[in-house]
Amino acid sequence: MGELTNTYGITGMTCGHCVTSVDEELSALPGVTAVAVELTVGGVSTARVTSSQPLSTDDVAAAVEEAGYTLVAS
């Protein structure tokens, strides 16, 4: 199986520190090989997560919440 890439919406992020916090939490998930977080101040930021195995939305949401933000329901 190849790598999988999913994009998630995140609310509550306002600065570069927010980006770093989300990046660190998502990178710690098992199987994650890359994370790219794009900050949208005042809107929905995005995180593109590449992994070697499927990730559950619950695990991604928990990681984002651990960083202090909210995953947008898709």
Side-chain angles (χ1 to χ4, degrees):
M1 176 186 287
E3 290 196 322
L4 307 167
T5 301
N6 291 296
T7 302
Y8 302 94
I10 302 170
T11 59
M13 296 174 55
T14 60
C15 66
H17 178 359
C18 300
V19 170
T20 300
S21 295
V22 170
D23 186 292
E24 288 175 355
E25 291 297 332
L26 291 173
S27 293
L29 291 173
V32 170
T33 58
V35 176
V37 180
E38 183 177 323
L39 177 64
T40 302
V41 177
V44 178
S45 300
T46 58
R48 191 160 76 182
V49 181
T50 302
S51 61
S52 60
Q53 63 191 36
L55 299 173
S56 78
T57 302
D58 289 343
D59 288 345
V60 173
V64 169
E65 289 173 13
E66 182 68 25
Y69 310 100
T70 304
L71 190 71
V72 176
S74 52

